[in-house]
């Protein structure tokens, strides 16, 4: 069931999409845990493709049993009064600021109109067990009212104001049918911080509301991947820059914390970067309103495919850091950055904390033997 009125939105030119949503993250992307729960149809192309992190691709001449292969979601033709829809569980609940809807390579089969609705589920177990018919009956709230799409094009839509509600799920509707390559749901994470202000947690985590605000290069992988949970699955979900050739070159990325805090420990993980980790890493911290860097980690040597743990000196832990700058010397790849700390001192490590805990991958001690 749907309420038909919704927030006002404005069209964002393609060349302004990145800058318009630079302070937001894609809440729905699969690498952050976004997933499709149900759909009306996916005859020609899988609905899950909407949430792929990489840009859509084309494969002319490639056919599958249902027809030409497409990198997106494509439903059967029906041209009926009804429409196709899917329910997406966001990787992180959040306040939605806008959308990017990409119909790349859908030239004669794109969906001419789409809309997006939101829903907040307080019970994860209930959401997981709900049937397709039950999802159809929940009280969906319009977030992006029905908009027109062009074939083979990227479209940006910015809400006049971010939603007051932190949504856990969205319903993406195509009218009446057709295909869309990608859906980006830009917003801000409904921040998850410990109730105990002294408890140590990962200040740099995307789940805590941290975002990338500046970077030098993201040729092979965006630095926002460094804020994700876990150790990843390959080089596609980390930050990797192109090779530099200039003497003295460095690459950098700035992470703004969802909540400032006192950093006690730093973890730099180069998992899956076996032939291309940086030679060294420097991390600078910045207090609120200050442009004066505080060197938390200075040119720490990196090794391939491994977690690196560093203790922050006590005198620097006393500083209340609002953002950090990760500097790769001279370039390369980093899987994850963990800035362990607490909102207030003294910092207390909770039971089961992962601070300084090595989480070994199956090939951590054999990859180099296999390679040689």
């Amino acid at each position: 069931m749907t309420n038909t009125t919704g927030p006002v939105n404005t069209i964002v030119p393609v060349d302004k999409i990145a800058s318009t949503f630079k302070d937001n993250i894609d809440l729905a992307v699969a690498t952050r845990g976004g997933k499709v729960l149900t759909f009306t149809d996916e005859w020609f192309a899988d609905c899950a493709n909407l949430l792929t992190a990489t840009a859509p691709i084309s494969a002319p001449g490639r056919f599958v049993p249902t027809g030409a292969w497409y990198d997106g979601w494509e439903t059967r033709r029906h041209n009926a009064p009804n429409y196709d829809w899917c329910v997406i569980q966001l990787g992180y609940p959040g306040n939605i600021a806008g959308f990017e809807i990409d119909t790349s390579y859908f030239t004669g089969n794109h969906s001419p109109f789409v809309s997006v609705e939101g829903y907040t589920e307080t019970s994860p177990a209930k959401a997981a067990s709900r049937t397709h018919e039950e999802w159809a009956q929940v009280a969906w709230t319009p977030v992006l009212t029905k908009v027109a799409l062009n074939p083979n094009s990227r479209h940006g839509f910015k809400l006049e104001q971010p939603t007051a509600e932190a949504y856990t799920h969205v319903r993406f509707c195509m009218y009446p049918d057709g295909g869309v390559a990608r859906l980006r749901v830009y917003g801000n994470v409904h921040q998850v911080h410990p109730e105990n202000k002294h408890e140590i947690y990962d200040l740099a985590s995307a789940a805590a509301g941290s975002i990338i605000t500046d970077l030098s290069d993201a040729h092979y992988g965006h630095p926002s991947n460094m804020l994700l949970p876990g150790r990843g699955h390959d080089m596609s979900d980390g930050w990797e820059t192109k090779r530099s050739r200039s003497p003295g070159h460095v690459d950098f990325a700035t992470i703004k914390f969802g909540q400032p805090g006192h950093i006690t420990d730093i973890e730099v993980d180069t998992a899956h970067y076996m032939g291309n980790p940086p030679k060294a890493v420097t991390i600078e911290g910045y207090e609120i309103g200050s442009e004066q860097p505080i060197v938390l980690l200075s040119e720490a040597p990196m090794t391939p495919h491994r977690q690196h743990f560093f203790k922050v000196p006590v005198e620097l832990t006393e500083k209340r850091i609002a953002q950090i700058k990760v500097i790769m010397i001279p370039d390369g790849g980093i899987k994850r950055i963990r800035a362990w700390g607490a909102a207030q001192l003294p910092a207390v490590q909770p039971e089961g904390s992962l601070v300084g805990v090595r989480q070994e991958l199956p090939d951590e001690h054999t990859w180099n033997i296999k390679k040689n």
Side-chain angles (χ1 to χ4, degrees), residues 76-91:
R76 283 175 281 202
R77 304 187 194 208
H78 49 70
N79 290 315
N82 59 321
Y83 55 93
D84 284 309
W85 54 270
C86 67
V87 174
I88 297 165
Q89 178 179 300
L90 300 178

Side-chain angles (χ1 to χ4, degrees), residues 26 188 300 307:
D26 181 1
N188 293 316
Q307 292 169 288

Side-chain angles (χ1 to χ4, degrees), residues 128-190:
S129 63
R130 188 175 278 123
T131 66
H132 180 83
E133 290 71 22
E134 288 171 334
W135 276 116
Q137 294 301 314
V138 304
W140 291 104
T141 301
V143 179
L144 180 69
T145 49
K146 195 173 181 180
V147 293
L149 300 183
N150 296 316
N152 196 29
S153 304
R154 292 172 61 200
H155 308 76
F157 302 98
K158 182 179 185 295
L159 302 183
E160 189 173 60
Q161 295 290 334
T163 62
E165 182 78 14
Y167 292 110
T168 58
H169 297 76
V170 296
R171 182 164 75 157
F172 182 55
C173 306
M174 297 196 297
Y175 305 91
D177 53 39
V180 170
R182 296 289 187 269
L183 171 66
R184 308 297 186 205
V185 182
Y186 294 117
N188 293 316
V189 173
H190 181 62

Side-chain angles (χ1 to χ4, degrees), residues 102-316:
D102 190 347
T103 59
S104 288
Y105 308 113
F106 286 89
T107 55
N109 52 350
H110 76 291
S111 179
F113 300 95
V114 297
S115 70
V116 184
E117 302 158 322
Y119 181 73
T120 302
E121 178 58 79
T122 57
S123 170
K126 187 174 183 179
S129 63
R130 188 175 278 123
T131 66
H132 180 83
E133 290 71 22
E134 288 171 334
W135 276 116
Q137 294 301 314
V138 304
W140 291 104
T141 301
V143 179
L144 180 69
T145 49
K146 195 173 181 180
V147 293
L149 300 183
N150 296 316
N152 196 29
S153 304
R154 292 172 61 200
H155 308 76
F157 302 98
K158 182 179 185 295
L159 302 183
E160 189 173 60
Q161 295 290 334
T163 62
E165 182 78 14
Y167 292 110
T168 58
H169 297 76
V170 296
R171 182 164 75 157
F172 182 55
C173 306
M174 297 196 297
Y175 305 91
D177 53 39
V180 170
R182 296 289 187 269
L183 171 66
R184 308 297 186 205
V185 182
Y186 294 117
N188 293 316
V189 173
H190 181 62
Q191 301 176 14
V192 179
H193 300 140
E195 292 185 13
N196 180 356
K197 299 295 184 181
H198 299 278
E199 183 176 310
I200 292 175
Y201 70 103
D202 181 9
L203 297 165
S205 168
S210 294
I211 60 172
I212 300 294
T213 57
D214 196 13
L215 65 142
S216 61
D217 182 77
H219 190 81
Y220 294 109
H222 198 275
S224 61
N225 290 328
M226 295 191 297
L227 317 184
L228 299 177
R231 300 198 64 197
H233 51 82
D234 55 33
M235 288 196 297
S236 68
D237 64 343
W239 175 35
E240 185 182 358
T241 66
K242 57 181 172 286
R243 299 190 189 207
S244 62
R245 304 304 184 190
S246 304
H249 177 90
V250 298
D251 280 311
F252 70 88
T254 302
I255 303 171
K256 180 183 177 183
F257 293 160
Q259 173 180 261
H262 303 271
I263 301 175
T264 62
D265 297 82
I266 290 172
E267 178 182 331
V268 183
D269 191 355
T270 59
H272 306 292
Y273 292 103
M274 301 172 185
N276 50 352
K279 180 181 178 181
V281 168
T282 290
I283 296 182
E284 299 174 345
Y286 295 83
E287 296 179 288
I288 297 174
S290 174
E291 296 182 359
Q292 183 64 37
I294 300 167
V295 180
L296 302 171
L297 186 67
S298 179
E299 297 189 25
M302 293 289 114
T303 56
H305 197 46
R306 196 160 183 83
Q307 292 169 288
H308 304 77
F309 304 107
F310 306 96
K311 201 77 179 172
V312 174
V314 174
E315 63 272 18
L316 299 183

